[in-house]
Amino acid sequence: MQDISERILKYVADHGDVDTLDLAAAFGEDHQKVIGGVKSIEATGELINCVPSTRKSWKLTVEGRDILEHGSHEANVFKAVPKDGISQPELMKCGGKNPKAGFSKAMSNGWIYIDKSGGAPLVRRKVDTIQDEVLAHVQAIAEGKESSIADSVKNEYKKRKILEESVTKSFILSKGPEFSTTLRKLETDLTVEMLASGLWKDLKFKSYNFDALGAPPGRGQLHPLMKVRTEFRQIFLEMGFSEMPTNNFVESSFWNFDALYVPQQHPARDQQDTFFVQHPKMSDKFPLALVDSVRESHERGVDGSIGYRYDWKLDESRKNVLRTHTTGVSARMLYKVAHQPGGFKPVKYFSIDKVFRNETLDATHLAEFHQVEGVVADYGITLGDLIGTFNAFFNKLGITELEYKPTFNPYTEPSMEIFCFHPGLQRWIEVGNSGVFRPELLIPLGVPKGVNVIAWGLSLERPTMIKYGINNIRDLIGPKVDLKMVQDGPICRMNC
């Protein structure tokens, strides 16, 4: 760019005022490259004056370029008329690219006429030869000789969409108050050496641009899901809950299903619903003393139950899976509380972590999502306590439209689903499942009689969709998420 800048300065010194368009033509360079050179000169001081200018020019349209190659439409029509004449329908077939416009112009030019004297009308030539002025004008425009054509003719061609007018912006360059044919580098820093030697007096410094916005500072952004996760966690802590450790995505079928009183032939344990791990395929990470109690609960039942009446298999229980819920963690914590020194004490636990299910993806379902797990164990608590806990929890979130519907779970009785109303989808969506743990689950874990356990598993994604007005879960999490949505997300939400 330095080279083009010095060439511009030398040209202005030798020739005086000049338009950058003419300069580009003289240098054989692109006009934008010349403009770049001018900007570089301006950055070093008042070497030149730049006055904005515009220049109108004419250029060929697609139709104009076709005429340049094949001739005008009227000339093509004239050439298609034989000496003996031709019917107008036949002429329309062989009269070039636009025979209708060509026929009209050829008639008005007096080149052809319609002969009706011999019965069927024929189109005949009225003159022997013609001059294709349109072609000649188009050739002149293509060669840059537009000044040789009258403005009225050019305007007519514009109406015919043969030519189009373009406006090019340029600059008129002239010598400035500090004009020089060489560029002097502007200093950007004032150093100690310059001050000590006095050199700064003879140097020229680049002006500060106080209007420059500067580079935006780099920063991270919290994903809406993480914001709501933090909000959920804070609410649980305020309600007196303790957080459970959920640092194992791979769970044995024993804790994921069997300890929760899910029969080994249950559909949830099929490959179409669960991701099975191939390596390591089996696990023995569960208390062997608990195995017999779980087997007894499944095969013959406990506390008056008759169980499922099937042969429970240890190998089926040893299969590793990507956990389908975090309820296995709740069972593990209840077993730990029941066998702690000093005996059972009432507890309130929660966890928020990822779970995995072989789901069909749609607007509200993913194969990988977050589950909000909660469990309360105490003497004499009921389903009413569970509903009251939900109402308090969701009210703190600002979600007040809730519905509860009875359902069936293998490990809770009674059981109920929780629904929230989604204003964007204009329908109720399920956000979780809940219930009171069955004796067949609690007794093998060693939980004392008289202790009831209420538990729930909520979705983190669906309440987030409601809070942020997101209608498709794939716009919230997954490979199709627009990072701009995360970056431009509000710092906080004002729910009035």
Side-chain angles (χ1 to χ4, degrees):
M1 189 58 70
Q2 184 70 19
D3 180 55
I4 190 73
S5 300
E6 291 185 348
R7 289 171 66 190
I8 292 171
L9 291 172
K10 190 174 185 310
Y11 193 95
V12 173
D14 296 339
H15 300 87
D17 297 2
V18 64
D19 192 310
T20 52
L21 288 171
D22 298 329
L23 205 55
F27 289 169
E29 300 282 2
D30 183 73
H31 185 242
Q32 286 304 314
K33 187 174 182 179
V34 173
I35 295 297
V38 170
K39 296 298 181 185
S40 296
I41 296 171
E42 285 185 313
T44 61
E46 299 180 356
L47 277 72
I48 56 174
N49 296 320
C50 296
V51 179
S53 176
T54 57
R55 181 181 295 185
K56 293 183 179 180
S57 61
W58 295 87
K59 62 180 182 179
L60 301 178
T61 62
V62 175
E63 189 163 347
R65 291 193 293 271
D66 183 74
I67 291 174
L68 181 64
E69 185 176 353
H70 302 105
S72 68
H73 304 314
E74 49 265 47
N76 290 331
V77 167
F78 177 82
K79 293 173 184 176
V81 177
K83 292 182 179 180
D84 297 332
I86 186 174
S87 67
Q88 189 170 348
E90 287 297 321
L91 181 60
M92 293 298 106
K93 295 178 182 178
C94 61
K97 188 175 181 180
N98 194 345
K100 187 174 180 181
F103 181 84
S104 176
K105 284 293 180 182
M107 286 286 289
S108 63
N109 290 344
W111 294 352
I112 58 176
Y113 70 99
I114 299 177
D115 183 6
K116 299 182 180 179
S117 62
L122 292 176
V123 179
R124 298 183 184 276
R125 292 188 179 186
K126 199 170 185 179
V127 295
D128 294 329
T129 60
I130 59 168
Q131 291 293 327
D132 193 350
E133 291 186 355
V134 175
L135 176 59
H137 291 156
V138 166
Q139 289 172 338
I141 294 291
E143 294 169 1
K145 301 175 182 177
E146 59 186 66
S147 58
S148 63
I149 306 170
D151 290 342
S152 59
V153 175
K154 287 186 283 193
N155 288 325
E156 181 190 348
Y157 291 164
K158 182 179 179 181
K159 292 177 182 178
R160 291 181 61 180
K161 301 188 184 305
I162 297 173
L163 299 180
E164 60 183 1
E165 192 175 18
S166 64
V167 177
T168 305
K169 294 181 179 180
S170 62
F171 294 94
I172 306 297
L173 307 182
S174 60
K175 294 179 181 179
E178 301 176 1
F179 182 78
S180 172
T181 55
T182 57
L183 288 176
R184 189 176 181 182
K185 184 181 177 182
L186 296 178
E187 298 293 337
T188 56
D189 296 317
L190 181 63
T191 65
V192 175
E193 289 78 10
M194 292 178 186
L195 291 171
S197 63
L199 182 62
W200 64 272
K201 298 177 182 179
D202 301 322
L203 296 176
K204 190 167 184 180
F205 291 87
K206 189 174 183 179
S207 301
Y208 280 103
N209 181 6
F210 292 102
D211 295 326
L213 295 177
R219 68 192 189 282
Q221 290 87 15
L222 284 176
H223 191 282
L225 206 60
M226 293 300 99
K227 293 179 183 179
V228 176
R229 184 185 188 279
T230 302
E231 197 172 355
F232 272 33
R233 186 174 183 274
Q234 186 61 36
I235 291 173
F236 276 121
L237 293 174
E238 289 174 359
M239 294 174 69
F241 284 75
S242 300
E243 191 165 8
M244 294 186 285
T246 55
N247 54 342
N248 52 319
F249 289 167
V250 176
E251 189 74 90
S252 67
S253 292
F254 179 84
W255 285 116
N256 199 78
F257 296 118
D258 294 281
L260 301 179
Y261 197 58
V262 177
Q264 292 184 340
Q265 68 271 22
H266 194 279
R269 301 175 74 149
D270 294 338
Q271 287 189 355
Q272 62 263 31
D273 293 311
T274 302
F275 293 110
F276 285 86
V277 178
Q278 291 298 316
H279 183 78
K281 190 172 184 178
M282 298 290 189
S283 173
D284 293 310
K285 292 183 178 180
F286 42 84
L288 295 179
L290 181 59
V291 171
D292 292 336
S293 299
V294 170
R295 183 198 302 273
E296 180 73 16
S297 179
H298 278 250
E299 291 183 350
R300 284 177 286 277
V302 294
D303 195 37
S305 165
I306 62 173
Y308 291 120
R309 299 295 179 94
Y310 73 98
D311 292 330
W312 186 85
K313 296 180 174 59
L314 179 61
D315 285 345
E316 187 69 26
S317 186
R318 293 176 59 220
K319 292 179 180 178
N320 281 328
V321 298
L322 288 179
R323 65 183 180 199
T324 59
H325 46 215
T326 52
T327 312
V329 178
S330 298
R332 192 183 289 111
M333 294 301 294
L334 288 173
Y335 178 78
K336 183 178 178 181
V337 169
H339 293 84
Q340 66 184 346
F344 172 84
K345 293 179 181 178
V347 292
K348 294 196 291 186
Y349 287 130
F350 81 96
S351 66
I352 306 173
D353 213 338
K354 285 185 178 180
V355 296
F356 310 87
R357 294 181 190 174
N358 197 357
E359 297 267 17
T360 300
L361 305 186
D362 59 28
T364 57
H365 290 85
L366 287 175
E368 174 184 340
F369 56 97
H370 290 79
Q371 179 171 317
V372 182
E373 179 87 12
V375 58
V376 179
D378 202 351
Y379 292 93
I381 56 176
T382 65
L383 191 68
D385 296 290
L386 179 61
I387 294 174
T389 301
F390 284 140
N391 288 338
F393 178 82
F394 281 104
N395 280 338
K396 286 178 177 288
L397 280 173
I399 297 176
T400 57
E401 294 186 82
L402 296 173
E403 278 191 357
Y404 305 101
K405 296 182 180 180
T407 187
F408 169 78
N409 290 318
Y411 44 88
T412 56
E413 180 62 38
S415 307
M416 64 181 185
E417 293 174 334
I418 310 114
F419 289 81
C420 291
F421 186 74
H422 192 303
L425 295 176
Q426 283 296 302
R427 64 183 176 90
W428 293 87
I429 64 172
E430 182 190 350
V431 295
N433 213 323
S434 63
V436 180
F437 276 160
R438 297 172 64 109
E440 293 93 335
L441 185 158
L442 297 177
I443 291 175
L445 295 177
V447 177
K449 285 191 175 184
V451 173
N452 289 337
V453 179
I454 57 175
W456 59 89
L458 306 176
S459 163
L460 179 64
E461 283 77 5
R462 293 180 186 176
T464 304
M465 291 169 64
I466 295 173
K467 297 297 288 182
Y468 282 85
I470 297 172
N471 296 336
N472 193 320
I473 196 170
R474 288 163 290 192
D475 294 333
L476 176 67
I477 186 170
K480 296 183 179 179
V481 169
D482 183 5
L483 291 180
K484 190 170 179 60
M485 177 271 292
V486 179
Q487 294 164 355
D488 295 344
I491 296 175
C492 61
R493 301 185 310 275
M494 304 299 290
N495 297 319
C496 300

